[in-house]
Amino acid sequence: MVVLSQPPALEHCSLIKTSKPTCVFTGIPVIDLRDPEAKTLIVKACEEYGFFKLINHGVPMEFMTRLEAEALSFFNLPQSDKDKATPFGYGSNKIGPNGDVGWIEYLLVNTNPQLTSLKTLSENFCYAVNDYILAVKRLAFEVVEIMADGLEIEPRNVLSRLLRDEKSDSCFRLNHYPPCPQLQALSGRNLIGFGEHTDPQIISILRSNNTSGLQICLTDRTWVSVPPDQTSFFISVGDALQVMTNGRLRSVRHRVLIDSMKSRVSMIYFGGPPMSEKIVALPCLMAKGEESLYKEFTWWEYKTCAYNSRLGANRLGLFEKTANASL
């Protein structure tokens, strides 16, 4: 069993009450990237859920399992050794600077420019991170271009060019949620690993081990559990893409709950635009006379707003043109 060397006290972590077990949701769209209808299915899934599972994605399973093994080796180091990586992206418990906490430890790295050696990490770990990121970046480019085809955006690289840009503000995060045997004593409460939020970027590509915990919020505000699948990717719409499609595609609110016996490892690529990029509804998606739902802002402005707010805040609400617009 892999545990934190110095796990946080439960009283300092976030708990939620659960009156009944959250249902496992079997309706998550599953899309084969090689399906001729993928462009239509991806758009439909992003309109209805802001979330879908991607299969036949082309990323070698070896890249996933190797990185997972290296990540677990790192997270199982003594806490003093892990703390040496803090200046290079390691953190635990605290999520942002505004009081949000979770039963979590993580590594966060920028993916642009090309990732170089991460000090204090093993050479094998660095190779595994680099190989995985390069493969998932290529997948992200392909997914947003297929998405553009489905939205009938011209040119089809309107979205992918932002991720390909050498100044793209994309990042990669490895999350480790240790098991929590103390959960048995919480009687009707669940321990939060990562609190509810939407991702600010354009698109997120997530892969996890075969441990449950990820939940998404449906349009009726019901929370449902996502069945784990360690061979597939889960794709999420981010806030920036919601704005660029003028609300047609919706960023998905999601969270992670802790398992009492099994550790969860997730790896997420967050595809973001350059800092100076203006985020605004794409004219080619606007009907004649249609008004933009959001004020124009740069990615730097939105990222700063997100960083300075609580995790679960409605960050896009500050940029809506009408106060009563609902998300």
Side-chain angles (χ1 to χ4, degrees):
M1 180 181 295
V2 179
V3 297
L4 277 173
S5 302
Q6 296 177 339
L10 283 180
E11 61 266 24
H12 295 148
C13 294
S14 298
L15 302 169
I16 58 170
K17 291 184 178 180
T18 50
S19 56
K20 58 182 179 179
T22 306
C23 68
V24 175
F25 188 55
T26 59
I28 292 169
V30 179
I31 298 173
D32 185 333
L33 191 60
R34 307 306 163 197
D35 186 336
E37 298 300 315
K39 64 180 183 181
T40 301
L41 296 173
I42 285 175
V43 170
K44 185 173 186 291
C46 292
E47 289 176 336
E48 294 182 358
Y49 299 102
F51 185 85
F52 61 92
K53 182 165 80 170
L54 189 68
I55 62 173
N56 202 14
H57 45 71
V59 176
M61 187 66 189
E62 175 194 352
F63 286 8
M64 306 181 203
T65 55
R66 181 159 55 104
L67 180 54
E68 180 184 331
E70 291 292 340
L72 281 171
S73 294
F74 170 78
F75 288 125
N76 200 33
L77 290 172
Q79 191 65 45
S80 58
D81 289 344
K82 291 183 288 189
D83 288 340
K84 294 175 184 177
T86 298
F88 310 103
Y90 175 76
S92 61
N93 308 338
K94 292 184 179 180
I95 303 171
N98 302 301
D100 293 297
V101 294
W103 190 267
I104 183 176
E105 56 180 344
Y106 58 86
L107 272 173
L108 180 65
V109 296
N110 193 288
T111 66
N112 243 353
Q114 174 59 42
L115 185 66
T116 55
S117 178
L118 295 170
K119 295 181 181 179
T120 77
L121 302 184
S122 72
E123 186 176 34
N124 287 340
F125 197 175
C126 292
Y127 282 136
V129 170
N130 272 297
D131 287 346
Y132 182 87
I133 287 177
L134 288 174
V136 175
K137 283 172 72 172
R138 287 193 291 267
L139 176 62
F141 304 156
E142 184 174 9
V143 168
V144 295
E145 287 180 356
I146 292 174
M147 188 183 293
D149 289 340
L151 290 167
E152 300 182 348
I153 296 174
E154 293 184 359
R156 73 190 299 261
N157 72 340
V158 164
L159 300 173
S160 64
R161 70 172 180 83
L162 301 178
L163 307 186
R164 293 179 186 270
D165 193 296
E166 63 179 12
K167 295 182 179 179
S168 164
D169 184 44
S170 298
C171 60
F172 176 69
R173 184 172 181 135
L174 276 167
N175 291 330
H176 177 230
Y177 304 94
C180 180
Q182 299 97 312
L183 275 177
Q184 304 294 340
L186 293 180
S187 62
R189 294 181 295 169
N190 277 312
L191 182 61
I192 293 289
F194 208 108
E196 64 174 274
H197 64 287
T198 57
D199 294 337
Q201 293 86 357
I202 294 172
I203 190 173
S204 304
I205 299 184
L206 176 145
R207 183 265 176 187
S208 68
N209 64 348
N210 202 31
T211 302
S212 61
L214 176 64
Q215 297 186 333
I216 63 171
C217 189
L218 305 180
T219 53
D220 65 359
R221 307 296 182 181
T222 300
W223 284 97
V224 294
S225 293
V226 177
D229 183 344
Q230 60 188 348
T231 67
S232 303
F233 287 99
F234 292 95
I235 313 296
S236 301
V237 172
D239 293 341
L241 186 56
Q242 177 169 318
V243 174
M244 295 174 75
T245 60
N246 208 33
R248 179 172 172 181
L249 308 187
R250 296 288 181 132
S251 57
V252 61
R253 187 162 287 267
H254 53 288
R255 67 188 182 191
V256 175
L257 302 184
I258 295 306
D259 191 281
S260 62
M261 300 302 294
K262 297 173 64 179
S263 65
R264 175 180 170 85
V265 176
S266 62
M267 41 195 81
I268 313 104
Y269 166 79
F270 299 99
M275 286 291 197
S276 61
E277 185 70 26
K278 292 181 178 178
I279 307 300
V280 64
L282 297 172
C284 60
L285 293 180
M286 304 279 281
K288 186 176 181 179
E290 182 180 354
E291 292 284 337
S292 172
L293 298 176
Y294 305 95
K295 305 169 187 176
E296 182 180 299
F297 52 86
T298 65
W299 171 241
W300 180 86
E301 290 172 327
Y302 192 64
K303 183 177 180 179
T304 300
C305 171
Y307 184 77
N308 290 328
S309 64
R310 293 297 299 267
L311 190 63
N314 176 14
R315 294 174 289 219
L316 274 180
L318 298 175
F319 297 88
E320 293 173 353
K321 285 188 175 179
T322 55
N324 60 354
S326 59
L327 290 179

